[in-house]
Amino acid sequence: MGKGEHTRQAILDEAFSLASCVGVSGLSIGILAERTKMSKSGLFAHFGSKEELQLAVLREAQQRFAEVVLRPAFRQPRGLGRLRAVVVNWLDWTREANLPGGCVINAAAAEFDDQPGPLRDEVRRGLTALRRALVETVAKAVEAGELRAETDTEQFAFEMEGIYQVTQQSRRLLNDPDADRRALVAFDRLVRDYAVPTEKE
Amino acid sequence: MGKGEHTRQAILDEAFSLASCVGVSGLSIGILAERTKMSKSGLFAHFGSKEELQLAVLREAQQRFAEVVLRPAFRQPRGLGRLRAVVVNWLDWTREANLPGGCVINAAAAEFDDQPGPLRDEVRRGLTALRRALVETVAKAVEAGELRAETDTEQFAFEMEGIYQVTQQSRRLLNDPDADRRALVAFDRLVRDYAVPTEKE
DNA sequence: GAATTTATAGAACGATCGTTCGTTTATGTC
DNA sequence: GACATAAACGAACGATCGTTCTATAAATTC
């Protein structure tokens, strides 16, 4: 059981970075076969259907995200430090993972948000998991006494995602060189507003 | 020169709402002909190429956005009131315009952000114009003395866009019923942080 | 109402799509 | 090394894609 898995992963790698550019629904088996120097049918056999290939790409994206963004950040002790590590890793995970064309999951979210089916379900699953991870990380910062006890953790995570999305768009489409800086400014403002009050001035 | 323009607009209307669901690159002349009860070639003749049709859809989107979001808001006197009107109109412009599948422009931004060509240029043009309109509206609120003089207007607009994007995603994909409320919470926090200080408490 | 321009239809093109099938080549096992 | 299994190929399928061409129908102009 060695060879099969190996080439399957190679295909998936290529599909992953291709999807980053043309979107998950823009994937084409013909083009993918060309890039991997395989026959269409040989490649196809690894997945059984195009949809299954697309699903595999989405799952791959989630897994890499967890590896590249969440896992390293979670080595930090819980609290604002960890939260900030998530943000920093998140902001350039498209560089870290092989994503020449930007975040696959967010692109897929826009593609499938109103097309019912397994693909949308998978995207939803991924983004829900992300949201939950963010909420938890924020909650840990509350527990650690670094954010106010009455912090609305869902609201906090919601706003973090907004910062991420606009940063991606500004950087990629508008070529805004200040995007990352602005993202951190926004994040710091978010933290400041929910931080425990220190002393009056 | 009556009939031609009329059917062209009818096609565009259909293409607009279709693109809202399947994306601008997901548009198909065959399906569009079916929906408008025209022949493929008859429909095609109005645009000359698929790309021209897609461009027309993007321009249509920009125009409707200006009509539905910006124009009504600009009837308010300049300042925070107008700014808030922009946000409110913006948040549900997908309901106001015929956009069953969400904001065409933002979806297109994710589709084309790394595919050079006229389509990406058009998306960029639209989003740049939007950004500029936002910055100006914020600047007017500064002039009106409602936001601090040292307000970073670009930063403000940047964060507004983030709020919009995450709201769309939360509402559409995650079916979050609180999305709109959270958007307003985030916006109010934004305003509060940049508002002119009233009195110490 | 005839003439002329404009709009639409119909059929066909080559290309590509995802998928199926039968065959051949490579791999792993005894 | 023979055998069984798995992996990859090549050719072809029907469907759909965007596009082109020619002919008919409708609208506009005189």
Side-chain angles (χ1 to χ4, degrees), chain A residues 51 55 58-59 62 108 112-129, chain B residues 173-175:
Chain A
E51 194 175 61
L55 283 171
L58 288 177
R59 291 195 205 101
Q62 288 178 239
F112 299 118
D113 64 355
D114 47 354
Q115 307 205 74
L119 291 171
R120 187 180 70 168
D121 295 345
E122 189 60 40
V123 173
R124 184 148 37 192
R125 195 167 6 249
L127 286 180
T128 304
Chain B
L173 190 72
L174 307 178
N175 291 330

Side-chain angles (χ1 to χ4, degrees), chain B residues 54-70:
Chain B
Q54 294 173 309
L55 283 171
V57 168
L58 288 177
R59 291 194 206 102
E60 177 79 11
Q62 288 178 240
Q63 191 185 319
R64 291 201 196 184
F65 184 86
E67 264 173 35
V68 170
V69 177
L70 299 181

Side-chain angles (χ1 to χ4, degrees), chain B residues 170-181:
Chain B
S170 298
R171 194 165 54 192
R172 302 194 54 72
L173 190 72
L174 307 178
N175 291 330
D176 183 356
D178 298 331
D180 285 58
R181 185 178 59 77

Side-chain angles (χ1 to χ4, degrees), chain A residues 101 114 131 159 170 189 193, chain B residues 101 114 131 159 170 189 193:
Chain A
D114 47 354
R131 190 70 72 98
E159 298 202 32
S170 298
R189 194 176 63 79
D193 279 8
Chain B
D114 46 355
R131 190 71 70 99
E159 298 202 33
S170 298
R189 194 175 63 79
D193 279 7

